[in-house]
Structures are given as C-alpha cells and as structure tokens.
Amino acid sequence: MSQQIARTRLAYARTWHHLSFATDPRPLGRIASSIALHLMGKHKPIYDPSTDCGDYVIATSCADINTTGKKRYQKLYYTHSTRPGSLKSMSMDNMFKKWGGGEVLKKAVRGMLPKNRLRDKRLARLKVFEGEDHPYRKNVVKIDGKTVNNDRIGHIGETLDAVLQMKNELPPEKVGVAQAST
Amino acid sequence: MNKAKVLKLAKGFRGRAKNCIRIARERVEKALQYSYRDRRNKKRDMRSLWIQRINAGTRIHSVNYGNFMHGLMKENIQLNRKVLSELSMHEPHSFKALVDISRNAFPGNKNVVHAPRKVALPLSV
C-alpha cells in the first residue's frame, strides 16, 4: 500500500534545473558528477532504478568550463572508426574549438551515467548552451523570485513546500507562493 | 519432476522453452536456481535501495547518509532503514525532524570550500 502513495504525476514530474558555468566555481568533473545524479533522479527520495525519474538540466556558459591543472591542453579524447589504424585523438582545447564546451560536458556526463538502455535518454535531458541564453526559461520554476533549484542543482524540499502550500496543509508564513515565471 | 509439472513452471518463457520439454527442462532448472539465489539477493537489493533513498532524503538537508546514521546511532534511535526510507519518501517533515536530531548529535561534515578558479595557462607555444 505504501508503494501506491507516491504514485502521483506530481511526484514524478520532471523538474528543470539550471546551472551556469559562469557562476559555478567547481571544475568540470565535479559538476558533471552532480549533473549525472540529477539526470538519474538519485537526488529524489522516491528514486527507483526501474522508473526513469530523472530531471532536466540546462547548462549555460559552457564556454567557461573550468578545468584544473593542464587538462585543457593535455587531456586527449580518442575516436576510432574500427578500421585498423584509424585511432584519432583530439585535445580538450581543440574539442572546445571544434565542438564547444557543451560536447566536452556531455562526454563527461555520459561516462558517469549507468551504462544501460536509459543512458542516451537521460543524456538527451541535458541541454547545453555556449552562452547564457537558452529557450527554456519558462520551464525553470521560481518560487518567491528564487529558482526552485539552488546553485548546487536541486532542492526538492522547496518544491514539496510549494505543493503542500497549494493544498493548504502548511501555514502560509512558512512558505512562498509558487509562481511560474521566466 | 514429470513433464507436466515442468511445462507448468515454464509458462511465460520465450520461444520453444515454454513448449518443448527438452528445452523447457533446462530453462526451468535454471529458473529455479535463479529464484533460489535471488530470494537471498532480494534482501540485499532492497536494503541497498532503502539506503539510496535515505541518502537522497538527507542530502536535501545537507547531511549525508553516513553522518546521518551515525547521529541516529548516537541517539539510540533504532528505526531501521526500511522505515527510514518510507519516512523520507512520504513523511518529509518527520524525516527532517530526524535529520535535525541526528545533526545535533553528530554535526559531521565540515563545509566544503571550493578553490577559486585559476586560469589555465597554455603550454609553451
């Protein structure tokens, strides 16, 4: 019976998280790890591996991705076309120039997702942009003028408060009113 | 086991394994071995899932699973992981109370400070 309680569309609704590399000081791998957790849905207490309960993540300013050390010029990305002798390598800097920071981020996140049939679906929920502009502003919900999800991507407690407030179960002074805004 | 019993157990199998006794017998034997093994694995898998859920619930309140459980043990709260995971899913305010109790008993994690960004210098041209 307890398995039925959380089976509401609202509980499984996918939220949109936004993070900007311009303001986030963490390096590439640490952010990618956090993104992968949110794409999998492991930041939610209702997580279940059989349901794809992951969220969307919008990553902007990917041109400003921070890497430590000399990785930018020394880390190599390899491709191979299965034809003998066709191993090609490209440094991270050249990846930035040719494909952009978005691709570098996607490669990092792709390696951090579980290698199963859901991997590509989850990766498709990561939306990357080189600049600050993105077409999903209406999807990122704000409460009290503050986005639902803070810098560290994801704070479902605030979403829950908003839901309970809408159902009049929480005293109004504890919580802001949810407004969908750009 | 006679053929009828084996074929009864083979219902729902793929292809000839559900109809032809020679193939069905092999698949049914394997299925029974898997079910024996998995009755033991299920207990492990469920506990792992409960721990993942508790971890997600506590990280919402900036505490990780290990420190949370340590705090509960210090306060001698004997709720098991099954119950804690149910609380984290369906009773968020009660769960927050538990997290607060645990955090008072064991403050745990130090604040993580990120180093400021350094500009990466290109290698010698």
Side-chain angles (χ1 to χ4, degrees):
Chain A
M1 180 249 175
S2 65
Q3 306 301 323
Q4 305 300 321
I5 289 177
R7 291 245 174 113
T8 58
R9 283 192 189 250
L10 190 61
Y12 282 89
R14 302 191 199 279
T15 48
W16 288 72
H17 306 251
H18 174 242
L19 89 115
S20 170
F21 281 94
T23 52
D24 204 320
R26 293 177 287 170
L28 168 66
R30 292 186 192 272
I31 293 190
S33 170
S34 187
I35 291 178
L37 282 177
H38 284 76
L39 292 177
M40 283 194 272
K42 285 186 92 170
H43 60 298
K44 301 180 180 174
I46 53 169
Y47 169 74
D48 193 280
S50 65
T51 64
D52 186 2
C53 49
D55 285 343
Y56 289 88
V57 175
I58 306 164
T60 53
S61 290
C62 287
D64 297 337
I65 287 180
N66 176 24
T67 48
T68 56
K70 298 179 186 167
K71 274 188 273 246
R72 183 117 180 190
Y73 305 96
Q74 286 185 336
K75 180 174 170 67
L76 293 177
Y77 290 88
Y78 294 96
T79 53
H80 199 286
S81 77
T82 71
R83 185 180 187 184
S86 74
L87 180 67
K88 292 190 163 54
S89 63
M90 197 189 281
S91 72
M92 195 196 274
D93 197 48
N94 287 335
M95 282 283 289
F96 268 89
K97 288 177 186 152
K98 180 167 182 191
W99 300 107
E103 269 311 304
V104 172
L105 180 65
K106 282 200 158 189
K107 269 187 179 288
V109 171
R110 186 162 197 265
M112 297 183 181
L113 291 172
K115 327 285 181 272
N116 55 23
R117 294 181 190 187
L118 293 174
R119 179 156 79 147
D120 287 335
K121 284 190 187 171
R122 285 168 164 158
L123 192 62
R125 290 194 193 114
L126 171 63
K127 313 285 184 192
V128 287
F129 301 96
E130 299 301 305
E132 270 300 324
D133 196 32
H134 64 92
Y136 302 111
R137 291 190 192 278
K138 290 208 162 67
N139 298 39
V140 182
V141 173
K142 292 194 189 221
I143 293 181
D144 257 355
K146 196 172 67 147
T147 45
V148 170
N149 312 294
N150 59 19
D151 279 345
R152 301 190 59 83
I153 316 183
H155 203 87
I156 205 173
E158 281 158 338
T159 321
L160 190 60
D161 276 347
V163 169
L164 292 176
Q165 166 74 357
M166 288 192 272
K167 289 165 68 175
N168 293 323
E169 283 170 29
L170 269 191
E173 95 273 336
K174 276 196 104 180
V175 107
V177 176
Q179 327 161 339
S181 72
T182 55
Chain B
M1 243 196 280
N2 64 19
K3 290 187 199 174
K5 282 190 184 169
V6 168
L7 288 172
K8 185 159 189 281
L9 284 173
K11 282 190 190 292
F13 287 11
R14 178 184 270 211
R16 278 189 284 164
K18 64 182 179 302
N19 295 325
C20 308
I21 186 59
R22 286 172 156 186
I23 300 170
R25 202 182 287 277
E26 291 172 17
R27 302 316 310 158
V28 164
E29 280 173 10
K30 206 53 179 290
L32 292 172
Q33 287 170 17
Y34 284 147
S35 75
Y36 178 89
R37 177 200 71 181
D38 289 331
R39 277 193 293 277
R40 285 129 184 84
N41 279 356
K42 184 157 75 166
K43 298 154 180 47
R44 307 178 208 165
D45 293 340
M46 291 308 290
R47 181 166 163 135
S48 163
L49 182 61
W50 298 331
I51 290 176
Q52 289 176 30
R53 287 179 170 164
I54 295 170
N55 210 346
T58 60
R59 280 172 197 259
I60 290 173
H61 302 112
S62 316
V63 172
N64 65 3
Y65 168 82
N67 294 345
F68 172 67
M69 295 308 288
H70 188 58
L72 287 190
M73 294 304 141
K74 280 192 137 187
E75 291 285 324
N76 197 24
I77 293 175
Q78 290 171 352
L79 293 172
N80 61 7
R81 283 145 185 86
K82 178 159 88 171
V83 162
L84 285 172
S85 75
E86 291 289 320
L87 288 177
S88 78
M89 279 199 283
H90 303 133
E91 308 291 338
H93 294 284
S94 309
F95 193 70
K96 180 169 196 306
L98 279 170
V99 172
D100 289 336
I101 291 173
S102 166
R103 206 188 341 232
N104 282 338
F106 182 67
N109 287 336
K110 298 185 271 283
N111 282 332
V112 176
V113 174
H114 295 295
R117 294 181 88 150
K118 294 184 221 171
V119 177
L121 297 172
L123 300 176
S124 59
V125 176

